Amino acid sequence: MVTQIQPQTQPEVIYPDSDGQPVANNTIQFRWIVEIKQNIDWLFASDPNVFVAGDLFWYPVEGRNKIFNAPDVMVVLGRPKGDRLSYLQWKEGGTPPQVVFEILSPSNTQVEMDKKLLFYDRYGVEEYYIYDPDSNNLQGWLRSEDGLDVIPQMEDWVSPRLKIRFVPSPEDLQLYRPDGERFSSYAEISQRLEQEHKRAEQAEQARRNAIPQLLQMGLSIEQVAQALSLSVEEVQRMS
């Protein structure tokens, strides 16, 4: 009787999605992370294949759960939007984040940042930016044939991938969209959305008010609907 030896199953590799550490060490660092992440989200809102994340664990090598990093902000062009517990690169078509941002806090050490630079260089990041809000210092690296090279002049630098412009000022860093509009804070974005909502409500109310006036002028329901870009049913319901 021949006994077949069953192949041993490999233990499942667990890829943690948290290290128990806070996203940011202070409100200034957190504000910058949120502002950059939200504005890039907004910039690519109409493109379903641009994934933007903040403080998300990125595992570049399958089976190696000790090799990971969690960029403050990372942008992956060519990958669909959607929630993820972590970014497992082999499940994302092998696509690494092309653009990474790190916002420094007083607790960051030079050794730590040197390790991050080596990691991003080794695993395919094309653009890497570090901003220190305390010293108002901006640094950048761009991938060449030999890896990530320092960008010698960051003033008015335009990201090749994102097309956003970096404008360091004596006070702080300013970022501009491709259309020339400055990156907005969370409060500014909320205020703008509220204003747009109010304008939409006012326009809708103006159309409602116009219906009885047009009908009194002798226009048919069909003509009113055409004039106000409404359906006949909507005109009937509003009149």
Side-chain angles (χ1 to χ4, degrees):
M1 179 177 178
V2 178
T3 302
Q4 292 185 341
I5 299 175
Q6 297 296 323
Q8 293 183 343
T9 57
Q10 295 295 323
E12 181 184 3
V13 179
I14 304 299
Y15 302 93
D17 54 27
S18 174
D19 58 3
Q21 298 298 314
V23 174
N25 290 328
N26 57 62
T27 58
I28 298 173
Q29 184 189 27
F30 183 75
R31 175 172 58 82
W32 274 102
I33 293 171
V34 171
E35 184 170 319
I36 291 173
K37 195 268 183 187
Q38 286 187 328
N39 277 272
I40 296 176
D41 259 335
W42 189 17
L43 179 62
F44 292 102
S46 61
D47 190 333
N49 288 310
V50 177
F51 174 65
V52 186
D55 195 47
L56 183 72
F57 277 27
W58 162 30
Y59 293 93
V61 183
E62 184 174 8
R64 304 289 298 277
N65 62 2
K66 300 298 184 184
I67 301 176
F68 69 93
N69 223 308
D72 286 337
V73 180
M74 69 180 191
V75 185
V76 193
L77 294 93
R79 298 307 303 162
K81 299 184 189 304
D83 293 329
R84 293 160 171 80
L85 294 177
S86 56
Y87 190 83
L88 306 178
Q89 187 172 317
W90 58 95
K91 293 186 176 181
E92 304 283 354
T95 306
Q98 293 95 347
V99 185
V100 163
F101 295 82
E102 294 285 357
I103 308 300
L104 295 186
S105 71
S107 66
N108 290 125
T109 65
Q110 188 61 52
V111 171
E112 175 188 0
M113 301 314 297
D114 288 344
K115 287 182 177 179
K116 288 191 175 189
L117 176 58
L118 288 172
F119 182 96
Y120 298 144
D121 187 19
R122 178 174 298 167
Y123 294 110
V125 170
E126 297 177 15
E127 302 176 40
Y128 175 34
Y129 303 104
I130 298 177
Y131 180 59
D132 183 350
D134 285 344
S135 64
N136 190 26
N137 182 50
L138 174 67
Q139 295 175 281
W141 289 261
L142 180 67
R143 182 164 295 278
S144 69
E145 293 181 356
D146 300 320
L148 288 174
D149 288 337
V150 173
I151 301 170
Q153 176 58 262
M154 285 301 301
E155 186 171 356
D156 283 329
W157 171 259
V158 176
S159 161
R161 279 289 193 170
L162 307 181
K163 309 303 179 188
I164 63 176
R165 184 162 57 95
F166 296 78
V167 183
S169 73
E171 293 78 26
D172 60 12
L173 172 64
Q174 296 179 0
L175 298 169
Y176 290 84
R177 295 160 49 95
D179 60 7
E181 186 175 343
R182 185 177 62 82
F183 271 28
S184 302
S185 67
Y186 176 78
E188 290 170 334
I189 292 174
S190 298
Q191 184 179 24
R192 185 173 305 172
L193 291 174
E194 184 178 353
Q195 290 172 345
E196 291 176 357
H197 180 66
K198 286 182 178 179
R199 282 195 294 268
E201 286 184 334
Q202 291 169 352
E204 180 65 18
Q205 188 60 48
R207 291 204 297 179
R208 289 175 179 271
N209 295 339
I211 290 174
Q213 298 173 6
L214 293 173
L215 290 173
Q216 289 174 7
M217 293 170 58
L219 274 69
S220 68
I221 289 180
E222 290 76 12
Q223 289 172 323
V224 172
Q226 184 177 6
L228 298 179
S229 300
L230 295 170
S231 68
V232 171
E233 291 76 14
E234 286 176 312
V235 174
Q236 290 173 332
R237 188 171 62 252
M238 295 179 187
S239 59

